[in-house]
Amino acid sequence: MPDDVVTMDKIVSLCKRRGIIFPASEIYGGIANTYDYGHYGVLLKRNVVDAWWQAMIGDRDDIVALDSAIIQHPRTWEASGHLAGFTDPLVDCRTCGQRFRADHLDAEHDVRCPRKPSVLPGQGPDCNLTEAREFNLMFETTIGPVQEAGSTVYLRPETAQGIFLDFKTVLGFARRKPPFGIAQVGKSFRNEITPGNFIFRTLEFEQMEMEYFVPPDDAHRWYLHWLEARMDWYERLGIRGDHLRLRAHEQDELSHYSSATSDVEYLYPIGWQELEGIANRGNFDLTQHAQHSGEKLEYFDQQSGERYVPHVIEPAAGVGRATLALLCDAYDEDEIGGEARTVLKLHPQMAPVKVAVLPLVRKDGQPELAHEVRNLLRRRMQTEYDEGGSIGRRYRRQDEIGTPWCVTIDHQSLEDRTVTVRDRDTLTQDRVAIDELPDVLAGKLEAPWISPKLLVED
Ligand code: GAP
């Protein structure tokens, strides 16, 4: 695989420069591992989430949607095992006051002491680390104005538990029987200590989780089904196949609830890292919640008279990590007419803006016609109008946010109602009649696509 020009620093800098994603609370100096998404970031992230809903709900009949509360009854987390077991081992340094994960002190994790010389924590002459102690990752808060016994609640560390709590209710109204799934997208919160590598690991993040309830004997078959389906989904987003892999967890890596887990990993500039986990959770969660709540959480098959607690296969993905993978996979640099260009070669369906409409000059009726063209396109796809600066600079601005097509209105457009369509990747410019433009662009948007970076690699 040839060297990719992308680095995490370049992604961070492009995202900040173009207002895609930037540090939160910046006017107060920022807050660790917390980011805000600007206009193009929101559009990109929304495309990721829409593609996930399409794969879960649009393309299938066996999955229903849910949006459960972030704050659930505190006993949820007793039953799920999070109160007792959702911990990281931490050490403090008595000299610099920093806190580190005890299991991330090795060279592989490359976490550095904040003091000079830059060494691994514990390796400097003044380092003075405490013994490791377990630290729960759930954020606590209280219900009501005063902190009193029984008022402590938690921000959910995963969306999954809301699905298990609602299993019986959903089963009642969804008119489904196993195998069937419940899908949810929403924010989760974890008090992460490890430095985040931009949006890879943040304190709050959106998850796209689906719990697929199956007859116990079918669990392994469905686990294999979801491994394949989820890998396919990332490839359909345009991510290069040679930058994706499935990695099965070793026995000692498995979460307390899981009998088998595989991660979909992406080759980020920081190395192979988890994009999504796909777990066979068995009947752990439904059994635990049944025991703690006293409710029967099982399926009764009226035809066969069989009663069982379904097993659960869970594909659990992070919106931020998928967005970051798309950005890293698309980032490229090249030269046009001797000038350096930064470009995001995103799958057109993922691009925040599909088409930019640009009058060549700000006179002679060109802006008026450009607005007309923009209005023609905006109902079909995300469109942007730009008349500021030279045409070359405007193309560059669109390249940086990954806009696949720029439509230019020039003097000929006023004579024959045609425009040029410039392609971000091939740089070709085709003349198209304005009347045909919406269908031509919609056709391009639906056309099969592979990353132009792969074509270069070949
Ligand atoms: N319900 C199972 C579960 O939550 P997980 O592997 O802990 O499993 C699922 O999380 C996905 O959520 C991860 O693969 C990752 O994409 C995302 N994720 C987890 N922690 C994250 C964090 N601190 N920041 C950003 N994304 C995170």
Side-chain angles (χ1 to χ4, degrees):
M1 199 185 304
D3 284 345
D4 208 327
V5 293
V6 65
T7 64
M8 200 61 111
D9 284 346
K10 288 179 183 176
I11 294 291
V12 173
S13 134
L14 171 66
C15 284
K16 179 140 202 232
R17 188 166 75 245
R18 297 309 313 273
I20 301 171
I21 304 165
F22 39 86
S25 309
E26 258 200 311
I27 60 167
Y28 289 107
I31 175 166
N33 299 340
T34 310
Y35 291 87
D36 291 344
Y37 286 70
H39 180 68
Y40 299 123
V42 171
L43 294 177
L44 176 60
K45 185 157 72 89
R46 202 184 62 181
N47 291 339
V48 171
V49 174
D50 285 352
W52 189 84
W53 279 123
Q54 181 60 35
M56 292 294 163
I57 305 281
D59 295 347
R60 312 178 60 112
D61 295 322
D62 55 351
I63 300 178
V64 296
L66 180 73
D67 191 347
S68 70
I70 286 174
I71 297 175
Q72 299 282 2
H73 194 288
R75 291 189 58 205
T76 305
W77 312 109
E78 258 172 66
S80 69
H82 283 86
L83 258 184
F86 196 53
T87 55
D88 279 342
L90 293 187
V91 293
D92 292 290
C93 178
R94 298 185 187 92
T95 311
C96 69
Q98 283 289 308
R99 190 165 279 174
F100 307 99
R101 265 180 68 169
D103 54 339
H104 285 188
L105 298 177
D106 51 9
E108 191 194 327
H109 289 90
D110 202 31
V111 175
R112 297 280 154 172
C113 167
R115 294 188 145 199
K116 295 279 178 243
S118 170
V119 290
L120 298 177
Q123 311 262 311
D126 300 327
C127 294
N128 185 357
L129 301 185
T130 61
E131 288 296 306
R133 69 206 150 77
E134 292 300 322
F135 170 83
N136 197 297
L137 296 184
M138 284 197 294
F139 281 103
E140 267 182 43
T141 185
T142 47
I143 290 184
V146 284
Q147 199 162 0
E148 56 196 359
S151 66
T152 302
V153 289
Y154 303 91
L155 303 188
R156 66 180 176 199
E158 61 174 13
T159 63
Q161 295 305 322
I163 298 179
F164 298 125
L165 267 52
D166 286 343
F167 167 76
K168 196 173 168 184
T169 313
V170 174
L171 195 60
F173 66 66
R175 294 170 48 237
R176 297 288 197 289
K177 57 184 271 191
F180 84 101
I182 305 178
Q184 141 150 275
V185 176
K187 278 225 166 156
S188 293
F189 304 81
R190 295 183 191 177
N191 203 349
E192 303 273 8
I193 299 303
T194 320
N197 273 316
F198 193 38
I199 54 166
F200 181 79
R201 184 171 282 108
T202 48
L203 301 184
E204 53 180 277
F205 52 96
E206 267 174 279
Q207 288 188 306
M208 306 179 283
E209 296 199 291
M210 196 276 293
E211 309 301 319
Y212 200 69
F213 300 92
V214 300
D217 290 346
D218 294 348
H220 188 64
R221 185 166 64 80
W222 281 109
Y223 172 65
L224 299 179
H225 166 91
W226 282 107
L227 295 186
E228 198 183 322
R230 296 305 302 148
M231 279 291 279
D232 284 354
W233 184 76
Y234 287 103
E235 293 209 33
R236 286 209 303 278
L237 300 192
I239 296 180
R240 290 165 293 170
D242 59 2
H243 279 59
L244 286 168
R245 73 177 185 195
L246 266 179
R247 188 185 67 80
H249 281 208
E250 302 289 339
Q251 207 60 28
D252 61 356
E253 275 183 274
L254 292 175
S255 311
H256 57 280
Y257 50 73
S258 169
S259 61
T261 297
S262 291
D263 289 341
V264 178
E265 294 190 332
Y266 176 71
L267 184 53
Y268 292 96
I270 50 171
W272 286 103
Q273 298 284 343
E274 175 185 344
L275 250 181
E276 162 162 355
I278 298 146
N280 180 347
R281 296 181 77 122
N283 62 8
F284 175 83
D285 303 273
L286 290 182
T287 306
Q288 285 291 107
H289 288 302
Q291 275 169 11
H292 282 72
S293 67
E295 284 283 344
K296 273 194 179 148
L297 299 178
E298 55 188 24
Y299 176 70
F300 176 61
D301 190 330
Q302 284 177 331
Q303 272 168 354
S304 67
E306 199 190 354
R307 187 181 291 282
Y308 61 86
V309 179
H311 283 214
V312 172
I313 309 302
E314 174 194 71
V319 178
R321 288 199 192 169
T323 304
L324 183 58
L326 280 174
L327 288 167
C328 295
D329 214 65
Y331 183 95
D332 210 357
E333 292 166 356
D334 54 17
E335 230 183 72
I336 300 181
E339 237 190 84
R341 161 175 99 139
T342 298
V343 53
L344 288 182
K345 293 177 173 168
L346 287 164
H347 189 309
Q349 290 172 11
M350 289 297 119
V353 174
K354 312 298 182 217
V355 55
V357 181
L358 319 170
L360 194 58
V361 291
R362 241 188 289 179
K363 55 183 186 183
D364 301 337
Q366 288 186 20
E368 289 76 6
L369 185 57
H371 280 297
E372 185 191 322
V373 170
R374 200 240 164 138
N375 288 338
L376 198 64
L377 294 174
R378 71 190 320 163
R379 287 188 179 277
R380 301 281 291 270
M381 59 195 72
Q382 191 67 40
T383 310
E384 190 166 283
Y385 174 85
D386 186 5
E387 59 172 33
S390 75
I391 193 73
R393 284 190 62 150
R394 281 181 276 162
Y395 286 152
R396 251 17 120 248
R397 278 205 288 268
Q398 296 299 329
D399 290 339
E400 274 194 337
I401 58 163
T403 306
W405 304 292
C406 288
V407 166
T408 308
I409 281 71
D410 55 18
H411 65 278
Q412 191 182 327
S413 310
L414 290 141
E415 287 163 13
D416 63 5
R417 288 188 65 82
T418 63
V419 292
T420 61
V421 177
R422 173 209 187 247
D423 186 290
R424 174 197 70 198
D425 302 327
T426 61
L427 301 175
T428 51
Q429 304 215 16
D430 296 327
R431 264 207 115 82
V432 176
I434 290 174
D435 290 347
E436 289 165 16
L437 191 60
D439 285 342
V440 167
L441 290 177
K444 285 178 183 286
L445 202 51
E446 290 305 319
W449 188 89
I450 62 162
S451 168
K453 286 170 82 175
L454 270 180
L455 299 175
V456 172
E457 282 173 17
D458 286 351

